[in-house]
Amino acid sequence: MAETKTYREALREAMVHEMDRDESVVLLGEDIGVYGGTHLITDGLYDQYGPKRVIDTPISENGFTGAAIGMAMMGMRPIVEMMTWNFSFLAADQIIQNAAKVRYFSGGQVKVPLVIRGPNGGGVQLSAQHTHSLESFYGHFPGLKVVAPVTPNDAKGMMLTAIRDDNPVIFLEAGALYGTRGEVEDGDNAVPFGKARVAREGSDVTLIAYGRQVNLCLRAADTLEEEDGVSAEVIDLRSLRPFDEDAIVESVKKTHRAVAVQEQWRWFGVASEVAAIIQDKAFDYLDAPVERVSGAEVPAPYARNLELAAFPSERAVANAARRVLYMEEK
Amino acid sequence: MSADRENSGNEAEVRGGKSAVATSPGRLVELYGKMVLVRAFEDACQRAFRQGKIGGYLHVYTGQEAVATGFLEAFRKGDRVITGYRDHAHALLLGCDPGEVMAELFGKRTGLVKGKGGSMHLFDVERGFMGGYGIVGGHIPLGVGIAYALRYEGTDGICQLYLGDGAINNGAFHEAANLAGLWGRDGMCPCFFIVENNQYGMGTSVERATAMTDLAAKFNSYAIGNEKVDGMDLEAVIECAERVAEQVRETGRPYAVEAVTYRIAPHGAADFFEKYRTKEEVEKWRARDPIGILEKKLLERDALDEEKIEEIKDEARQRVSEAVKYADESEEPPMEELYTDVYAGEDEYMGTR
């Protein structure tokens, strides 16, 4: 059975599913309790589970994230909400220096079963300090898992997996898509990490993305089909660490052309890694250099038109696909 | 909260042994032996560091022995301990094998954490030791979370959270103390903060690093009861530790003690010149060496004699030299260990090798 639900509802459903099943699951974050959550993800949970399991924290990311790590080291399964991932910089010392590394420097004596979740990226005119995509930042650190679901079904299924994982999971939600709807499987639909999803089958070019850029690629694929008769395959990476290299390589072996799309800046980004993996593992199958479509190299602007210009557009993706197909000049 | 604060600053404000039962002479002699062992261990570390057998940083506990020794007397099974990078004493006093601790410093496979942590990251979770951490103040929120978890699990365990005077100016301290105060209201934070005020954060004195030098009183801002203790006087520390631990265990509320002590040794073994303090100052504190103070007391009380002292010191030296030998003779970690312990679970490693 599957029902249409919002991304927001899907996340909440996963947390409720696990909180009912496992008392060690607790939530911490700013205004997640009495207030209901800034993004209403945790709405109603305070009444349902009480203040010892739904812990309203002061505005102090470093403190409560560190406390959650301590809880996790003791066997609890805390889920920390970053009101937005931008604020996680304040907790970066805890996430990077403790959560990611303590298993290693304790010689494997501790586990950190912790989920840190919240909206990633921009798109709603929040300007520079509230608009940031952190996938390559956190994806850089061994010890962390990093996932970025885009469909409501994945939001639920990957959250179930994240909560059950014995490692710290950076759960990057498609914040701009909280209200979007999709079919969500009932019950336990846990989605394993490290498996990409073919969001659209195609034969002429592979568009590779994650998070809300997947939807952009799907629209670009429709445009390419309508305007150029090009069949684009869209790969939703879903999980960035672990990373499904095989899915990309398989698709490129079929299409021989690839475009990697990311909202974040081009330099040192996930798309660079995608391009490198393709040249490493599928070089002989390539008919054109891999294109990258990225955000403009500026702090995010406020004005709507500038913000739109700062992020990849459907047109930019379609044009990049045309370039790797040699339908358009570089 | 401490009733009387007229002696702000670094003068210890020692509370009388109100409720505590005095520690027996026999027990004090045992603890003397432990302090002597810690001192001998740290002396050996410094030698080994100069010989190039220990790499990285090395922060020894010389001068501060009465602090961990005294507070850990209040440690009960089920409790947890977490500290910063000056962590050898805590590990040894919790019962870790000196050979394994030394082997860790030597970077050997037989080390306490398989040669992956070194001096700053000793761990023995089985013994309740949740580790030493290398970022000043970074472990404090962890300790508060550990305390919460102890109550959440329904145990009466407490977390002894050691931090230095240097850590108290760090945001992590203030954020964590605030959480502890908040959670303590509901009896959900049995966290025993132990500030080891050894007068210097590296080479910067407390006076030059913190605007208000009464470190215990900083906890007033977070509704956490607090007091000071003379960290050079083992008996005073034990009295304080047992009384406070009992209270924290019973109430689930945090409490803080500033142990006024002194790092007789340099900050790190590479801190050769000590430009930040005078020889006279070090000598002044050396006269208050916690081992010397205890020795004198025990001699006065006829609990020890010179012969017994030599015997205890010989025994400590012997154990430490065995530890050094064990560390020396142990093998380096095998190359397979490079990639283990990154992730828990089936996928022990992810990424590019």
Side-chain angles (χ1 to χ4, degrees), chain B residues 36-37 40 308-322:
Chain B
V36 166
L37 177 73
K308 179 76 182 160
I309 287 171
E310 272 320 298
E311 196 180 302
I312 289 171
K313 288 187 172 171
D314 278 347
E315 196 187 321
R317 279 191 288 260
Q318 183 59 31
R319 279 187 76 188
V320 169
S321 84
E322 280 163 22

Side-chain angles (χ1 to χ4, degrees), chain A residues 23 52-53 55 60 62-63 66-67 71 73-74 76 94 97-98 103-104 107 109 143-145 167 241-242, chain B residues 112-114 121 123-125 133 135 138 141-142 145 148-150 152-153 172 175 338 340-341 343-344 347 350:
Chain A
E23 281 223 337
K52 284 183 185 164
R53 294 189 71 188
I55 305 167
S60 67
N62 194 30
M71 292 175 185
M73 286 165 58
M74 291 289 286
M76 290 175 71
Q94 292 301 329
Q97 296 275 45
N98 288 332
R103 181 168 177 77
Y104 197 75
Q109 289 188 45
L144 300 178
K145 292 189 177 181
N167 297 287
R241 198 170 187 128
Chain B
L112 206 57
V113 296
K114 304 193 275 190
H121 302 302
F123 273 76
D124 194 334
V125 172
Y133 295 78
I135 303 299
L142 268 55
Y148 188 94
L150 285 166
Y152 189 83
E153 290 167 357
E175 295 191 18
L338 180 59
T340 58
D341 304 323
Y343 290 96
D347 39 358
M350 290 185 298

Side-chain angles (χ1 to χ4, degrees), chain B residues 36-351:
Chain B
V36 166
L37 177 73
V38 169
R39 176 73 56 96
F41 186 91
E42 299 294 48
D43 288 348
C45 287
Q46 287 179 297
R47 281 195 299 276
F49 183 87
R50 291 180 195 126
Q51 290 167 353
K53 290 181 176 176
I54 294 175
Y57 292 148
L58 176 75
H59 312 95
V60 300
Y61 205 64
T62 307
Q64 301 179 218
E65 293 88 348
V67 181
T69 306
F71 283 107
L72 288 173
E73 269 296 276
F75 180 88
R76 301 286 170 262
K77 196 170 163 43
D79 288 354
R80 299 294 190 283
V81 172
I82 188 167
T83 188
Y85 48 77
R86 202 177 297 284
D87 59 351
H88 307 171
H90 305 78
L92 294 172
L93 292 162
L94 281 167
C96 297
D97 178 65
E100 288 179 25
V101 177
M102 192 62 83
E104 185 57 38
L105 311 191
F106 277 44
K108 299 298 179 72
R109 75 186 300 173
T110 52
L112 206 57
V113 296
K114 304 193 275 190
K116 285 177 166 173
S119 168
M120 298 189 282
H121 302 302
L122 301 174
F123 273 76
D124 194 334
V125 172
E126 297 256 304
R127 287 191 161 87
F129 188 30
M130 302 304 282
Y133 295 78
I135 303 299
V136 173
H139 67 294
I140 305 172
L142 268 55
V144 169
I146 287 168
Y148 188 94
L150 285 166
R151 278 294 142 132
Y152 189 83
E153 290 167 357
T155 76
D156 72 344
I158 68 172
C159 181
Q160 286 199 7
L161 199 179
Y162 292 82
L163 59 143
D165 49 272
I168 215 151
N169 304 308
N170 185 296
F173 162 73
H174 292 276
E175 295 191 18
N178 183 49
L179 288 175
L182 276 170
W183 294 347
R185 279 188 206 159
D186 304 321
M188 287 299 287
C189 199
C191 185
F192 188 168
F193 289 90
I194 297 157
V195 182
E196 302 191 77
N197 179 1
N198 69 11
Q199 316 300 325
Y200 289 91
M202 278 193 75
T204 302
S205 68
V206 170
E207 288 76 15
R208 295 178 61 229
T210 199
M212 198 274 286
T213 55
D214 184 345
L215 306 189
K218 299 215 186 219
F219 289 85
N220 289 336
S221 312
Y222 305 109
I224 295 174
N226 58 82
E227 65 191 78
K228 289 174 193 281
V229 70
D230 179 354
M232 299 310 230
D233 180 348
L234 180 71
E235 283 182 289
V237 175
I238 294 172
E239 184 282 319
C240 171
E242 291 186 338
R243 172 171 45 81
V244 170
E246 194 50 42
Q247 176 193 321
V248 171
R249 202 179 300 283
E250 204 166 289
T251 60
R253 293 176 67 108
Y255 195 88
V257 176
E258 175 192 349
V260 180
T261 182
Y262 195 76
R263 163 170 58 70
I264 291 172
H267 162 74
D271 167 18
F272 295 119
F273 304 110
E274 300 195 43
K275 286 197 278 191
Y276 52 89
R277 58 185 191 180
T278 60
K279 281 207 176 84
E280 293 71 33
E281 181 189 299
V282 179
E283 283 314 310
K284 191 190 105 194
W285 280 92
R286 239 184 231 285
R288 304 209 55 238
D289 181 332
I291 294 178
I293 290 179
L294 184 61
E295 196 174 289
K296 192 155 167 274
K297 278 190 189 179
L298 293 173
L299 283 169
E300 280 166 8
R301 294 177 202 167
D302 287 330
L304 272 184
D305 56 28
E306 295 294 345
E307 198 180 326
K308 179 76 182 160
I309 287 171
E310 272 320 298
E311 196 180 302
I312 289 171
K313 288 187 172 171
D314 278 347
E315 196 187 321
R317 279 191 288 260
Q318 183 59 31
R319 279 187 76 188
V320 169
S321 84
E322 280 163 22
V324 170
K325 186 163 183 283
Y326 177 75
D328 237 345
E329 290 173 358
S330 291
E331 288 169 33
E332 292 182 323
M335 274 304 125
E336 304 91 82
E337 283 289 357
L338 180 59
Y339 288 106
T340 58
D341 304 323
V342 180
Y343 290 96
E346 298 157 26
D347 39 358
E348 266 291 322
Y349 192 74
M350 290 185 298

Side-chain angles (χ1 to χ4, degrees), chain A residues 203-217:
Chain A
S203 54
D204 298 332
V205 58
T206 305
L207 309 179
I208 301 147
Y210 53 93
R212 71 187 183 109
Q213 309 308 310
V214 172
N215 292 348
L216 194 72
C217 290

